[in-house]
């Protein structure tokens, strides 16, 4: 009977690395992040192939009620004076939430409701972020090492990037070696 | 603007303790686990007040699409020769899944589908358990320290204990200081 005991996937809390399981991996590069950063000239001067973030997900059956588990690894860096960040999105199924857990690095989670009201949560090792439904979310790396965050979200949630064409209401930049949060018209 | 940065809840990966947030806490004791352990006589001879496990959950808005985050702390111990375990349940909304992450201790996650087919996964620090929909689940502590596991699950999932009146198809016991998995008619 003991031979039927399954060794499940493992995640390393220190760096978010998965083992003992196949993973789906997607890397997003500077060239993929059109109109994301405020300084278009600085963005065009970056190496287009430069990786900004990689998402690794466990292969899981999808369907109503099932959950994805994945880790986002967001590199340190800036475009102009703006910190590297993920594109950010609403879920296509707007009511679907998500939970993030900070694993390493220092950053911010930018959350924004459908009325454009934004807030920021500190991301660090062990931080827990309950993202409710109807809330767009974006990770921002304000530190000097990789920011890694574990996420669990419904497989039916999907992504809706178009709904955020107006952008987020806050931008996070470095000014005089300080982290500065700016309210903007089109973020 | 920086004053609007929110400090979210924290979880300690080493022991599953939450901080920086109110938690909902529920302890399940020997007296609450009627007809769960195989050896009724051994169960009746235990201190009825003895805590078997405590679940701590973050206070979160509930509703379609929202997710709970909680930690189960399952004490080490045995009733007769059977290891301490949670009651186990199907979700009332059967299609709803759940994700468990082992944080500390040594144990097993017992999973059983609606046809009574059971399987076991090893729980240890960093183990990841994708529990699909239509799957009952029970934690078993086979070690000598507290087994703690972090879980994320839909707030709409609910519990259905009645559906498991026939019990699980496997029992995990200690025999000659070995962990022994037994197939049973009514587990």
């Amino acid at each position: 009977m003991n031979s039927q005991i399954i060794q499940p996937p493992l995640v390393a809390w220190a760096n978010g690395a998965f083992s003992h399981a196949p993973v789906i991996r997607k890397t997003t590069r500077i060239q993929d992040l059109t109109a994301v950063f405020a300084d278009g000239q600085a963005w065009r001067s970056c190496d287009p192939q430069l990786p900004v973030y990689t998402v690794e997900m466990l292969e899981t059956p999808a369907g109503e009620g099932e959950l994805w588990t994945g880790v986002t690894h967001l590199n340190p860096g800036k475009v102009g004076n703006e910190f590297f960040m993920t594109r950010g999105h609403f879920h296509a199924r707007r009511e679907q939430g998500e939970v993030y857990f900070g694993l390493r690095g220092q950053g911010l989670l930018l959350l924004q409701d459908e009325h454009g009201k934004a807030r920021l949560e500190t991301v660090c090792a062990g931080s827990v972020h309950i993202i409710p439904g109807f809330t767009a979310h974006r990770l921002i790396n304000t530190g000097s090492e990789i920011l890694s965050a574990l996420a669990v979200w419904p497989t039916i949630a999907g992504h809706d990037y178009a709904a955020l064409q107006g952008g987020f209401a806050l931008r996070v930049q470095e000014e005089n070696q300080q982290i500065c949060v700016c309210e903007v018209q089109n973020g």
Side-chain angles (χ1 to χ4, degrees), chain A residues 71-184:
Chain A
V71 174
T72 299
H73 301 283
L74 174 58
N75 289 328
K78 290 197 290 292
V79 174
N81 61 354
E82 188 171 20
F83 292 105
F84 273 12
M85 55 192 178
T86 61
R87 177 183 296 278
H89 59 265
F90 279 104
H91 288 154
R93 284 269 300 261
R94 281 289 193 286
E95 80 287 0
Q96 299 292 314
E98 185 158 352
V99 181
Y100 271 38
F101 301 95
L103 297 181
R104 65 170 164 176
Q106 297 293 329
L108 293 166
L109 178 64
L110 174 51
L111 300 169
Q112 182 163 311
D113 69 19
E114 291 188 299
H115 307 289
K117 192 167 156 48
R119 61 191 189 276
L120 290 159
E121 295 186 354
T122 306
V123 182
C124 59
S127 59
V128 183
H129 308 271
I130 311 291
I131 306 173
F134 306 97
T135 306
H137 38 286
R138 157 182 282 176
L139 274 175
I140 303 165
N141 187 344
T142 58
S144 55
E145 59 168 323
I146 298 170
L147 178 71
S148 295
L150 175 70
V152 176
W153 71 103
T155 62
I156 55 158
H159 299 84
D160 183 348
Y161 297 105
L164 260 169
Q165 278 181 335
F168 283 88
L170 299 175
R171 286 193 177 276
V172 183
Q173 300 171 327
E174 189 175 72
E175 285 181 21
N176 303 319
Q177 297 181 305
Q178 299 279 314
I179 296 162
C180 180
V181 179
C182 314
E183 293 189 48
V184 288

Side-chain angles (χ1 to χ4, degrees), chain A residues 4-18:
Chain A
Q4 295 182 25
I5 296 177
I6 298 159
Q7 170 65 55
L10 294 174
V11 64
W13 301 121
N15 63 9
F18 287 118

Side-chain angles (χ1 to χ4, degrees), chain A residues 28-37 43 52-53 85 87:
Chain A
T28 299
R29 300 170 190 279
I30 285 286
Q31 67 188 2
D32 304 316
L33 295 169
T34 316
V36 167
F37 293 95
W43 175 71
V52 180
Y53 56 99
M85 55 192 178
R87 177 183 296 278

